[in-house]
C-alpha cells in the first residue's frame, strides 16, 4: 500500500519518528503551559524563552572553560546539564514569579499574557544581541551515539532516549498532580486559596513553586532538545505559538489530555510532512480551527465556562479627551502641519501605525477581547494591495480597497472561529490563526518569501495626483487616517457601540436582555480587521513593499504595545502610543538588536507601572484636578462621582 | 389577586424532570414545576437549595443535564439564552446586574434599544436613540430614579441599583419576569418600595421570584414552591406551606 502511494517505509517511519520526537517536546512544553495556566491563570508566553534558556544552559555548561578561562572550570557534559539545568531554569522561573508575575495575579488575565510577552522579548532579545540568528551546535553525548537497525528503519539511540525519557517525565508529572496529596493541594489551591491557606499552607510559595516547576519542565525540554535542534535564540519563539495551539486543542483541565494531544499532534505533523510537505507547518493550526468548530472546549476539556470580557478601558465618556469631533479637527490640523516638522515618510509611518493601533483598540479596548493576531489582517492586506498594484496594475485606491476586502474576509473567518472562546484562549487562538497566514506567506510563490513584494508603484490618486511625490502621498495617508479615526469614533458611539459597551461591562446581563453577544463581538472583530487592513494596505503603498515582517506576530505585538502605552479603550491612546512607539523605534534604531529588548522592557514596565497608559493617567489627573477645583469652589465632595468605578 | 382566574390550567412555564448535575452533584434534581400565567409564583428554600440554578436553567444560562422546559407550550430546552430572552423571559440577578459605567438612563435605554432593530447599525449616531428618551424617563420615574438619570450607575446606593435593574428588566416588557432575590441586601424602606413595585408591574405578566424574605412572599405570592436539596419539597399557598411539617424541618435542618 505504501508503495502504491509512492512512499518508502524509510521515509514514512523516519518522519513519524521525527514527529514523535517533536510530539514529546510539545507534550512536555504544553504540560508546563497547561499547569501554569490551570493553577496560576497565567498564559505563560515566556515559556518558549525558558525552553531556550534550557538549551543554552546545556551549551554553557559544556563551554565553561571557554566562557571563564583561567578559573580552571571543567566542561560539564550532557548528563550534568540534564541534572543541573532544569533546576537552574526553574530557579530563574521562581525569580521571575517573585519579581513580576506575582504582581498580576489579581489583575485581568490579559496583563499576565502581556507581561510574559514582554519578558520573552527581553530574554530572547538579549540572547539575540549575544548570539545573533546563528545556531550553536551541541553534540549528542558519547554514551548515546549510534543507533539500532530495526529492519524497517534506523533508530538513533539519542532519539530513543528522548522519547522514553520525555514520556516518563510526562507520566510522572501527571501522576504527581492527579494522584498524590501534593497534587490535590495544588488543585485545591487554585480553586479555593483561602481554604488551603486555612490548612496552614503557604499559598504564595506554592504558586511560586508551581510556576518554577512548569518552567523547569521547559528547561528540561530545552536540554533534551539541544542535541537535536540548533541552540539558537529563536528556538523558543516558534515553538511557543504551536504550544498554545496544542493547549487549545487539548482543552483545559486535563493533564493527560495535554500529554496525549502533544504526542499525537507531533505525529500528525510528521505524517503531513510525508504526504503534503507544504502543509506541515500549518497542520496543527488547521486542526485547532477544526476542533474549535466541533468541540470548542477542546478534545479533553471540560465544559467551557462563560468568562467575562476584560474591561480594561480607562476612558471617561464625558471627558474632553474623548470628544471625537474636537480631536478630529485637532488631529487634522496637527497632521497637516506635521510634514513640515518631520520627514513626511516618518509621518506616514506614524499615521499608518496609529490607524492600525486604533483598529486594534476597537476590539481590545472597546470590546475587551484580547486579540493577538492582528498582523494577519494588516499583513494580508499589505500583500494584496502590493500584489494588485504591482502585478495587476490596479489603481492605488482600488489596490488598497482590495487589501481591505481580503483582510475583512479573513477577519470574519478568524473571528467566527475565535469568538467561541474567551479570555486567554481568545488570545491564543487568534495568535495561532495568524500564524497560518504567516506560514502561507512564507510558502506561496506570489509573496516572494523572504524578499517580499518590492517596488510597488505608488501610482496616481484618482488617476491624476502623483503619489510618488512624498507630500501628495502624505496628505492622502492623512486623509485615510482621519477617515479611519472618524469611523472608529462613530462605531463606538453608535447604537451598535452601546451594545458593545454593555457587553464589555456585563456580558451575562447583556445576554439576559436578549442580545446574542457573540454576533456583536464578531461584527466588531470584523470591523477591527477591516480597519487594520486599511492601515496595512496603505502602508504597502507608502513604503512600496509588503514583506513577512507585516504578517509576523511581532506586528501584532506592536499593535498591543501601542495601545497599552497610550491607554486601552481611550480615543486618543492608540494615537499617542503609536507616536511613542514609532519614535522609540526610530531613536533606538542604531541599537540594532537591542530594540527588541527595549520594547520588551517597555511592555513589562507598562504592565507593572502604567496600566492606564499615558492617556488614562492624564485622564485621572484631569479628573482629580476638576474635583479639587470644585471642592475649592465650595462644592460637596462627590459621593456619587460621575465616572467613578 | 391580580390574576384573572382561568379555569383551564394555563401554564406559561412547564418544566418536566429538570435536572442539573455539576460533576455528579445534582444541584437541581427531577423538578416538575408549572407556573400559571399571570401568577406571582415564589420559589423558596434554604441556601444552596438550587433556586438560582433553576433560574439559570429556565433562562438557558445553564444547559439542563436532563429534562425539558416549555414556554407557552413551546419546547425551549435547546435554545440560547439570548433567544429565550427575546421570547419574553427576562430575569434579574441575585447580585445586582447593572452596567456600572453607563449612566442610569443608558442602562435602561440599552434594553429599550433592542426592539428598535438598529443594534447592529454601527454607522448611525448615538443620537438616533434619542427617540427612546421619553420611555426611558417613564420607566425611571416608575422606580423613582428620574432625578438621577444622568448619574453613572456605579455610584448609586445598593437599593437604587436594584431599582435600576428592575427598570431595565421591565423595559423589555417581559411576559415572564424572573426575579432572583429582588429584596436581598435592602433595608426596610427599600424592601417595601420594591415589593410595591413588583405588585404594580405584575398586572398582565407572570412573575417567578426567588425570595428569602417571607413577609414579602406572603404579601405577594399566590403560589409558593419550596425547593430543598434540588428537589421540590412542597407547593401551595402561603397558608399551606407555612404549616407544612417537612418545610419547617427543611428550613431548620438547612439553616443550622
Ligand atoms: N457552576 C456551578 N458549579 C458547581 N456547583 C454549583 C454551580 N452552581 C451552583 N452550584 C451548587 O449547586 C447548589 C445550588 O446552588 P444555587 O446557587 O442554585 O442555590 P440557591 O438555592 O440559589 O442558594 P442561595 O439561597 O444561597 O442563593 C449549591 O450547592 C452550589 O454550590
Ligand atoms: Mg441563589
Amino acid at each position: 500500500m505504501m508503495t502504491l502511494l509512492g512512499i518508502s517505509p524509510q521515509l514514512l517511519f523516519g518522519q513519524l519518528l521525527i514527529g514523535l520526537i517533536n510530539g514529546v517536546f510539545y507534550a512536555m512544553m504544553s504540560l508546563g503551559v497547561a499547569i501554569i495556566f490551570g493553577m496560576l491563570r497565567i498564559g505563560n508566553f515566556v515559556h518558549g524563552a525558558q525552553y531556550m534558556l534550557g538549551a543554552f544552559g546545556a551549551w554553557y555548561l559544556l563551554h565553561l572553560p571557554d566562557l571563564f578561562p583561567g578559573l580552571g572550570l571543567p566542561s560539564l557534559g550532557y548528563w550534568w546539564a540534564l541534572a543541573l539545568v532544569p533546576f537552574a531554569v526553574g530557579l530563574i522561573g521562581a525569580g521571575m514569579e517573585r519579581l513580576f508575575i506575582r504582581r498580576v495575579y489579581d489583575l485581568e488575565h490579559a496583563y499576565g499574557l502581556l507581561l510574559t510577552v514582554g519578558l520573552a522579548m527581553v530574554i530572547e532579545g538579549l540572547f539575540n544581541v549575544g548570539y545573533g540568528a546563528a545556531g550553536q551546535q551541541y553534540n549528542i553525548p558519547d554514551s548515546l551515539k549510534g543507533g539500532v537497525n530495526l529492519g524497517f528503519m534506523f533508530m538513533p539511540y539519542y532519539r530513543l532516549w528522548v522519547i522514553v525519557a520525555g514520556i516518563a517525565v510526562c507520566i510522572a508529572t501527571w501522576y504527581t498532580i492527579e494522584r498524590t496529596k501534593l497534587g490535590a493541594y495544588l488543585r485545591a489551591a487554585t480553586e479555593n486559596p483561602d481554604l488551603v491557606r486555612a490548612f496552614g499552607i503557604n499559598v504564595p510559595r506554592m504558586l511560586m513553586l508551581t510556576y518554577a516547576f512548569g518552567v523547569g519542565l521547559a528547561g528540561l525540554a530545552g536540554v533534551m532538545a539541544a542535541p537535536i535542534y540548533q541552540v539558537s535564540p529563536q528556538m523558543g519563539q516558534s515553538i511557543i505559538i504551536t504550544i498554545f495551539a496544542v493547549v487549545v486543542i487539548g482543552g483545559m483541565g486535563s493533564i493527560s489530555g495535554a500529554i496525549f494531544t502533544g504526542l499525537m499532534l507531533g505525529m500528525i505533523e510528521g505524517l503531513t510532512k510525508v504526504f503534503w510537505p507544504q502543509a506541515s507547518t500549518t497542520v496543527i493550526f488547521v486542526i485547532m480551527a477544526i476542533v474549535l468548530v466541533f468541540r470548542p472546549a477542546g478534545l479533553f476539556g471540560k465544559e467551557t465556562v462563560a468568562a467575562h470580557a476584560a474591561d480594561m478601558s480607562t476612558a471617561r465618556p464625558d471627558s474632553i479627551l474623548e470628544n471625537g469631533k474636537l480631536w478630529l479637527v485637532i488631529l487634522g490640523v496637527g497632521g497637516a502641519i506635521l510634514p513640515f516638522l518631520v520627514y513626511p515618510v516618518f509621518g506616514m509611518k506614524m499615521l499608518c501605525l496609529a490607524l492600525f493601533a486604533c483598529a486594534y483598540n476597537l476590539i481590545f479596548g472597546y470590546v475587551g477581547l484580547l486579540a493577538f493576531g492582528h498582523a494577519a489582517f494588516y499583513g494580508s492586506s499589505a500583500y494584496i494591495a502590493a500584489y494588485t498594484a504591482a502585478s495587476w496594475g490596479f489603481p492605488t485606491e482600488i489596490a488598497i480597497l482590495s487589501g481591505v476586502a481580503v483582510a475583512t474576509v479573513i477577519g470574519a473567518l478568524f473571528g467566527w472561529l475565535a469568538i467561541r472562546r474567551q479570555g486567554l484562549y481568545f488570545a491564543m487562538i487568534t495568535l495561532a490563526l495568524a500564524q497560518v497566514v504567516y506560514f502561507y506567506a512564507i510558502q506561496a510563490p506570489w509573496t516572494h518569501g523572504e524578499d517580499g513584494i518590492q517596488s510597488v508603484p505608488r501610482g496616481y490618486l484618482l488617476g491624476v495626483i502623483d503619489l510618488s511625490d512624498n507630500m501628495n502621498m502624505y496628505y492622502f495617508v492623512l486623509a485615510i487616517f482621519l477617515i479611519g479615526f472618524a469611523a472608529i469614533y462613530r462605531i463606538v458611539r453608535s447604537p451598535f457601540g452601546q451594545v458593545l459597551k454593555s457587553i464589555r461591562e456585563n456580558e451575562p446581563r447583556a445576554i439576559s436582555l436578549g442580545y446574542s453577544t457573540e454576533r456583536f463581538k464578531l461584527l466588531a472583530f470584523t470591523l477591527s480587521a477591516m480597519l487594520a487592513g486599511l492601515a496595512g494596505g496603505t502602508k504597502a503603498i507608502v513604503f512600496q513593499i509588503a514583506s513577512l515582517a507585516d504578517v509576523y506576530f511581532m506586528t501584532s505585538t506592536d499593535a498591543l504595545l501601542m495601545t497599552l502605552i497610550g491607554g486601552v479603550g481611550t480615543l486618543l491612546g492608540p494615537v499617542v502610543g503609536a507616536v511613542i512607539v514609532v519614535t522609540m523605534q526610530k531613536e533606538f534604531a542604531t541599537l540594532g538588536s537591542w530594540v527588541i529588548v527595549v520594547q520588551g522592557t517597555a511592555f513589562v514596565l507598562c504592565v507593572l507601572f502604567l496600566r492606564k497608559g499615558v492617556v488614562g493617567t492624564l485622564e485621572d489627573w484631569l479628573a482629580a484636578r476638576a474635583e479639587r477645583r470644585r471642592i475649592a469652589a465650595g462644592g460637596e465632595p462627590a459621593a456619587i462621582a460621575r465616572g467613578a468605578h | 389577586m391580580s390574576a384573572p382566574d382561568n379555569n383551564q390550567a394555563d401554564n406559561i412555564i412547564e418544566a418536566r424532570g429538570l435536572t442539573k448535575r455539576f460533576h455528579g452533584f445534582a444541584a437541581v434534581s427531577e423538578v416538575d414545576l408549572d407556573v400559571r400565567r399571570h401568577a406571582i409564583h415564589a420559589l423558596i428554600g434554604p441556601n444552596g437549595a438550587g433556586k438560582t440554578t433553576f433560574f439559570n436553567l429556565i433562562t438557558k444560562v445553564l444547559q439542563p443535564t436532563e429534562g425539558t422546559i416549555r414556554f407557552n407550550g413551546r419546547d425551549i430546552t435547546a435554545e440560547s439564552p439570548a433567544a429565550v430572552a427575546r421570547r419574553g423571559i427576562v430575569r434579574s440577578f441575585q447580585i445586582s446586574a447593572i452596567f456600572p459605567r453607563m449612566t442610569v438612563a443608558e442602562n435602561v435605554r440599552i434594553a429599550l434599544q433592542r426592539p428598535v432593530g438598529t443594534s447592529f447599525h454601527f454607522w448611525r449616531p448615538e443620537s438616533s436613540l434619542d427617540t427612546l428618551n421619553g420611555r426611558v424617563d417613564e420607566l425611571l420615574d416608575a422606580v423613582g430614579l428620574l432625578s438621577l438619570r444622568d448619574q453613572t450607575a456605579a455610584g448609586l446606593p445598593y437599593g437604587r441599583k436594584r431599582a435600576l435593574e428592575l427598570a431595565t428588566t421591565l423595559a423589555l416588557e417581559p411576559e415572564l419576569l424572573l426575579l432572583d432575590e429582588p429584596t436581598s441586601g435592602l433595608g426596610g424602606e427599600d424592601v417595601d418600595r420594591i415589593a410595591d413595585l413588583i405588585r404594580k408591574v405584575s398586572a398582565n405578566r407572570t412573575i417567578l421570584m426567588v425570595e428569602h424574605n417571607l413577609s414579602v412572599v406572603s404579601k405577594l405570592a399566590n403560589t409558593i414552591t419550596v425547593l430543598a436539596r434540588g428537589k421540590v419539597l412542597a407547593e401551595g399557598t402561603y397558608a399551606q406551606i407555612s404549616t407544612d411539617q417537612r418545610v419547617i424541618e427543611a428550613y431548620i435542618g438547612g439553616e443550622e
Side-chain angles (χ1 to χ4, degrees), chain B residues 29-48:
Chain B
S29 175
E30 290 170 27
V31 168
D32 296 334
L33 193 114
D34 291 338
V35 179
R36 286 259 309 275
R37 191 178 308 283
H38 298 312
I40 299 185
H41 192 134
L43 196 58
I44 65 171
N47 290 107

Side-chain angles (χ1 to χ4, degrees), chain A residues 302-303 311-315 317 487 490-517 519-520 523 527 639-645, chain B residues 20 23 80-82 85-86 89-93 97-103 106 109-111 113-114 118-126 128-129 148 150-152 154-157 165 168-169 172:
Chain A
K302 312 261 160 65
E303 218 172 320
D311 186 1
M312 302 174 39
S313 167
T314 51
R490 164 58 75 237
I491 293 169
V492 170
R493 306 235 169 174
S494 68
F496 174 68
Q498 280 290 304
V499 180
L500 289 185
K501 195 167 165 188
S502 75
I503 292 173
R504 189 184 68 198
E505 302 238 311
N506 191 342
E507 184 165 357
R509 181 54 169 163
I511 295 173
S512 82
L513 296 180
Y515 289 109
S516 300
T517 55
R519 290 192 207 152
F520 288 87
L523 177 57
L527 289 169
I640 311 173
R642 259 213 85 157
H645 147 223
Chain B
K20 179 69 191 179
H23 311 292
S80 77
R86 289 194 292 265
I89 305 181
V90 185
R91 70 181 295 188
S92 72
F93 289 78
I98 52 163
F99 302 110
R101 284 199 272 170
M102 294 164 81
T103 65
E106 282 172 337
R109 197 181 65 184
I110 196 76
Q113 174 188 336
R114 186 172 54 71
T118 59
S119 291
F120 281 105
H121 291 194
F122 57 82
W123 58 88
R124 261 176 216 273
E126 207 177 312
S128 67
L129 297 172
L148 299 170
D150 292 323
Q151 301 276 2
T152 303
L156 296 180
E165 187 182 352
T168 307
T169 310
L172 290 170

Side-chain angles (χ1 to χ4, degrees), chain A residues 433-514:
Chain A
L433 289 172
Q435 206 65 355
V436 176
V437 176
Y438 173 69
F439 282 118
Y440 172 78
I442 288 184
Q443 289 175 359
W446 65 272
T447 54
H448 299 294
E450 299 282 339
D451 297 337
I453 302 175
Q454 299 186 5
S455 313
V456 178
R458 280 186 179 174
Y460 292 82
L461 180 59
L462 302 172
V464 276
I465 303 167
D466 183 4
L467 292 174
S468 60
D469 178 273
N470 269 339
M471 277 307 203
N472 290 347
M473 186 78 227
Y474 177 86
Y475 286 106
F476 179 45
V477 175
L478 178 63
I480 290 177
F481 167 78
L482 292 174
I483 290 169
F485 184 83
I488 289 166
Y489 182 70
R490 164 58 75 237
I491 293 169
V492 170
R493 306 235 169 174
S494 68
F496 174 68
Q498 280 290 304
V499 180
L500 289 185
K501 195 167 165 188
S502 75
I503 292 173
R504 189 184 68 198
E505 302 238 311
N506 191 342
E507 184 165 357
R509 181 54 169 163
I511 295 173
S512 82
L513 296 180

Side-chain angles (χ1 to χ4, degrees), chain A residues 424-635:
Chain A
L424 279 176
Y425 273 111
F426 189 84
M428 294 185 186
I429 293 165
T430 44
L431 177 64
L433 289 172
Q435 206 65 355
V436 176
V437 176
Y438 173 69
F439 282 118
Y440 172 78
I442 288 184
Q443 289 175 359
W446 65 272
T447 54
H448 299 294
E450 299 282 339
D451 297 337
I453 302 175
Q454 299 186 5
S455 313
V456 178
R458 280 186 179 174
Y460 292 82
L461 180 59
L462 302 172
V464 276
I465 303 167
D466 183 4
L467 292 174
S468 60
D469 178 273
N470 269 339
M471 277 307 203
N472 290 347
M473 186 78 227
Y474 177 86
Y475 286 106
F476 179 45
V477 175
L478 178 63
I480 290 177
F481 167 78
L482 292 174
I483 290 169
F485 184 83
I488 289 166
Y489 182 70
R490 164 58 75 237
I491 293 169
V492 170
R493 306 235 169 174
S494 68
F496 174 68
Q498 280 290 304
V499 180
L500 289 185
K501 195 167 165 188
S502 75
I503 292 173
R504 189 184 68 198
E505 302 238 311
N506 191 342
E507 184 165 357
R509 181 54 169 163
I511 295 173
S512 82
L513 296 180
Y515 289 109
S516 300
T517 55
E518 298 202 341
R519 290 192 207 152
F520 288 87
K521 290 194 238 174
L522 178 56
L523 177 57
F525 189 83
T526 309
L527 289 169
S528 171
M530 184 178 97
L531 289 159
L534 181 60
T538 308
K539 176 255 150 204
I541 300 294
V542 170
F543 296 96
Q544 305 183 278
I545 181 170
S547 70
L548 285 176
D550 300 331
V551 279
Y552 193 48
F553 95 95
M554 277 297 177
T555 300
S556 305
T557 314
D558 281 348
L560 241 172
L561 183 60
M562 291 184 285
T563 311
L564 193 63
I565 289 186
V568 179
T570 60
L571 179 72
L572 295 173
V575 181
V576 174
V579 171
I580 293 173
V581 169
V582 173
T583 309
M584 198 167 78
Q585 281 172 348
K586 178 167 168 269
E587 295 302 319
F588 293 124
T590 48
L591 294 176
S593 314
W594 283 98
V595 172
I596 205 87
V597 180
V598 172
Q599 276 198 8
T601 310
F603 245 107
V604 173
L605 292 178
C606 267
V607 171
L608 293 182
F609 304 113
L610 192 68
R611 274 191 292 277
K612 293 191 162 186
V614 173
V615 174
T617 308
L618 186 63
E619 190 84 79
D620 278 357
W621 181 78
L622 284 177
R625 196 187 59 159
E627 179 70 8
R628 272 199 309 277
R629 288 205 177 156
R630 220 171 47 79
I631 293 172

